[in-house]
């Protein structure tokens, strides 16, 4: 069978996001046009059929190393037999999002904010996805009347001032639908900020067209959070996409998932954070990977994450450092090393990021009093 993907595009096709969507790799034959799958990959492509969606955009595929099955890009999107290990957890919905959904695909777990999954579609399916339970699944697609139900819920709850559009990937929707959705939300007085969570700048940066940016710029204040995991993803195409968003007045943040063998080292994380701020993207969160069935091979101990954060703190531009977050059904918990070693009514003892101890008193010490000598730790 002749593969449908024709991976020798003209420059015009390469710059057209719809061409990428139409020519995504979704079969082993198509994958063979860019690399020779290992027997594990080949077996996994077959075994994961019907378990979790699979597709790779030509843009993201072009970043894979055909000679290295351990390539951090390739591992994010090519199935592996490890996914079939429904490990000890086997959990589908670790954050109990379904229980927190008053209407379809709308998660209300914080008093002032909702996450609204406006589509279940993505351009690629990341093998570790937090929402594996729903992404790519037809039953989680949103019809217009279902979107209206979500909008009506937000309109009926004046405490909601921050709406996070997520999915799936909201930017798989066409410009007209995005414009409609943002117009409806903007018509609600109490909605203060709207955020879009999208991985398009990483997997399909061509999606960030001038036309899309025109639409977005009509609905401020609007923020975008994207999802770079590895410095190899910081391509010139991604740079153009981010520049367009920023010029449209949209601040861009980044959420990374800590993934074993992909970005679980100090060097990779430092390079990623520095590369992000060079593109004027603010590193926002570094997520501890969730306990989701079939993703055990990506999970890194929290100790490793804490060590990476400790090595970044004080050694990188302050705003280049994300917050390390554990998400729970009770909300996000920052995983920070305790820099406050002790405190009482007089003040606190802290440990600096360089290891020195410091006493900060609430009031200036009496003149002539003996300074406190502290050991170095
Ligand atoms: C993460 C999340 C948010 C947004 O949280 P911030 O910390 O404000 O970025 C909102 N709703 C849900 C359900 C979430 O998981
Ligand atoms: S882009 Fe986001 S929602 Fe889509 S598969 Fe990847 S991690 Fe999941």
């Amino acid at each position: 069978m002749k593969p449908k993907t024709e991976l020798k595009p003209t420059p015009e096709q390469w710059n057209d996001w719809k061409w990428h969507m139409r020519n995504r790799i979704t079969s082993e034959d198509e994958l063979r046009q860019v690399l020779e799958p290992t027997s594990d990959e080949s077996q996994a492509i077959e075994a994961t059929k019907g378990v979790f969606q699979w597709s790779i955009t030509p843009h993201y595929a072009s970043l894979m190393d055909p000679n290295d099955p351990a390539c951090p890009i390739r591992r994010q999107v090519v199935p592996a037999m490890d996914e079939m290990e429904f490990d000890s957890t086997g959990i589908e919905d670790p954050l109990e999002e379904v229980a927190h959904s008053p209407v379809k695909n709308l998660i209300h777990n914080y008093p002032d904010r909702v996450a609204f999954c406006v589509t279940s579609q993505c351009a690629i399916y990341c093998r570790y996805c937090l929402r594996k339970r729903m992404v790519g699944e037809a039953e989680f697609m949103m019809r217009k009347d279902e979107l209206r139900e979500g909008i009506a819920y937000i309109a009926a709850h004046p405490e909601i001032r921050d709406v996070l559009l997520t999915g799936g990937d909201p930017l798989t929707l066409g410009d007209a639908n995005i414009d409609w959705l943002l117009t409806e939300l903007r018509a609600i007085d109490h909605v203060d900020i709207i955020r879009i969570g999208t991985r398009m700048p990483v997997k399909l940066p061509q999606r960030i067209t001038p036309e899309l940016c025109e639409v977005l710029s009509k609905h401020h204040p609007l923020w975008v959070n994207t999802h770079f995991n590895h410095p190899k993803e910081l391509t010139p195409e991604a740079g153009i996409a981010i520049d367009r968003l920023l010029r449209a007045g949209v601040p861009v943040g980044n959420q990374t998932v800590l993934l074993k063998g992909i970005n679980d080292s100090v060097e990779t994380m430092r390079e990623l954070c520095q590369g992000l701020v060079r593109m004027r993207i603010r590193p926002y969160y570094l997520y501890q990977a969730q306990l989701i069935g079939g993703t055990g091979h990506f999970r890194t101990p929290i100790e490793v994450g804490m060590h990476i954060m400790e090595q970044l703190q004080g050694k990188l531009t302050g705003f280049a450092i994300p917050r390390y977050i554990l998400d729970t059904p009770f909300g996000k918990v920052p995983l920070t090393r305790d820099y406050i070693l002790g405190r009482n009514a007089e003040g606190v003892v802290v440990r600096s990021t360089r290891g020195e101890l410091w006493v900060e008193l609430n009031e200036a010490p009496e003149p002539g009093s003996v300074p406190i000598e502290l050991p170095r730790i």
Side-chain angles (χ1 to χ4, degrees):
M1 195 182 81
K2 188 180 172 296
K4 79 168 168 16
T5 307
E6 180 47 75
L7 289 170
K8 290 188 190 63
T10 63
E12 199 176 308
Q13 287 173 322
W14 189 258
N15 288 326
D16 175 6
W17 73 277
K18 290 184 176 158
W19 178 87
H20 284 265
M21 288 298 278
R22 277 196 304 275
N23 288 283
R24 285 181 291 173
I25 293 170
T26 57
S27 71
E28 186 169 344
D29 281 347
E30 289 160 0
L31 182 64
R32 279 182 197 282
Q33 293 192 60
V34 291
L35 57 81
E36 188 55 39
T38 62
S39 70
D40 184 90
E41 287 170 330
S42 170
Q43 224 185 320
I45 289 165
E46 208 43 53
T48 57
K49 272 186 189 150
V51 178
F52 186 50
Q53 290 276 340
W54 179 48
S55 78
I56 313 174
T57 55
H59 170 79
Y60 203 71
S62 73
L63 309 181
M64 299 191 296
D65 184 340
N67 303 314
D68 180 13
C71 162
I73 305 301
R74 183 162 163 178
R75 285 196 56 227
Q76 289 184 59
V77 286
V78 178
M81 280 311 283
D82 285 335
E83 289 175 42
M84 299 311 289
E85 308 264 321
F86 283 88
D87 52 40
S88 57
T89 71
I91 296 169
E92 282 196 348
D93 185 12
L95 303 178
E96 297 173 14
E97 293 191 322
V98 172
H100 287 114
S101 298
V103 295
K104 184 178 168 184
N105 283 12
L106 185 138
I107 309 151
H108 196 178
N109 192 17
Y110 297 87
D112 65 330
R113 275 160 286 172
V114 290
F116 189 11
C117 303
V118 293
T119 177
S120 60
Q121 300 297 301
C122 281
I124 59 173
Y125 291 95
C126 313
R127 311 317 295 171
Y128 55 84
C129 180
L130 162 70
R131 298 213 174 93
K132 264 190 147 170
R133 66 179 173 86
M134 66 162 289
V135 296
E137 296 294 325
E139 67 170 294
F140 291 97
M141 277 308 285
M142 292 292 271
R143 294 191 313 260
K144 207 145 190 178
D145 59 311
E146 291 169 326
L147 288 171
R148 277 188 219 281
E149 267 179 53
I151 294 163
Y153 177 90
I154 295 165
H157 288 79
E159 70 276 19
I160 300 171
R161 35 155 295 280
D162 172 1
V163 177
L164 163 58
L165 302 179
T166 176
D169 197 313
L171 298 187
T172 53
L173 300 176
D175 293 356
N177 281 327
I178 293 168
D179 198 13
W180 171 79
L181 196 55
L182 293 174
T183 306
E184 293 289 310
L185 290 169
R186 268 286 155 249
I188 304 170
D189 265 353
H190 57 262
V191 171
D192 196 3
I193 57 171
I194 301 174
R195 305 192 244 178
I196 298 178
T198 175
R199 210 176 179 206
M200 284 298 183
V202 183
K203 63 196 179 184
L204 180 42
Q206 293 84 349
R207 172 67 187 100
I208 314 300
T209 59
E211 295 74 28
L212 173 69
C213 292
E214 188 93 353
V215 168
L216 299 181
S217 68
K218 291 195 298 180
H219 302 285
H220 281 310
L222 184 87
W223 297 61
V224 160
N225 253 339
T226 186
H227 175 175
F228 287 88
N229 282 332
H230 192 275
K232 269 182 89 172
E233 295 168 342
L234 299 161
T235 57
E237 288 95 333
I240 293 170
I242 300 302
D243 185 60
R244 284 182 181 163
L245 288 170
L246 295 172
R247 281 173 200 272
V250 182
V252 183
N254 187 68
Q255 316 197 131
T256 297
V257 182
L258 183 60
L259 299 167
K260 189 159 153 188
I262 291 176
N263 58 19
D264 61 339
S265 80
V266 176
E267 296 69 40
T268 306
M269 203 56 81
R270 182 185 295 130
E271 212 186 305
L272 174 63
C273 292
Q274 285 173 338
L276 286 168
V277 295
R278 216 177 291 130
M279 278 192 184
R280 290 174 288 155
I281 304 171
R282 168 81 153 92
Y284 181 53
Y285 287 157
L286 169 65
Y287 282 109
Q288 174 63 18
Q290 293 289 319
L291 299 167
I292 305 165
T295 66
H297 54 301
F298 286 120
R299 215 167 296 134
T300 300
I302 289 180
E303 255 327 296
V304 173
M306 299 278 275
H307 172 73
I308 293 172
M309 290 308 296
E310 196 184 358
Q311 292 304 307
L312 300 184
Q313 197 64 52
K315 299 181 184 106
L316 264 191
T317 303
F319 62 75
I321 303 173
R323 288 217 285 163
Y324 184 29
I325 296 285
L326 176 68
D327 212 345
T328 76
F330 309 105
K332 296 179 173 66
V333 180
L335 297 171
T336 7
R337 202 193 140 99
D338 219 348
Y339 290 98
I340 297 182
L341 299 185
R343 60 200 165 99
N344 64 18
E346 283 165 60
V348 297
V349 181
V350 296
R351 189 192 63 100
S352 83
T353 56
R354 299 172 198 175
E356 273 103 1
L357 294 185
W358 175 257
V359 178
E360 184 75 14
L361 298 172
N362 293 333
E363 284 170 41
E366 298 281 317
S369 66
V370 185
I372 304 165
E373 284 285 340
L374 291 168
R376 200 196 142 92
I377 54 164

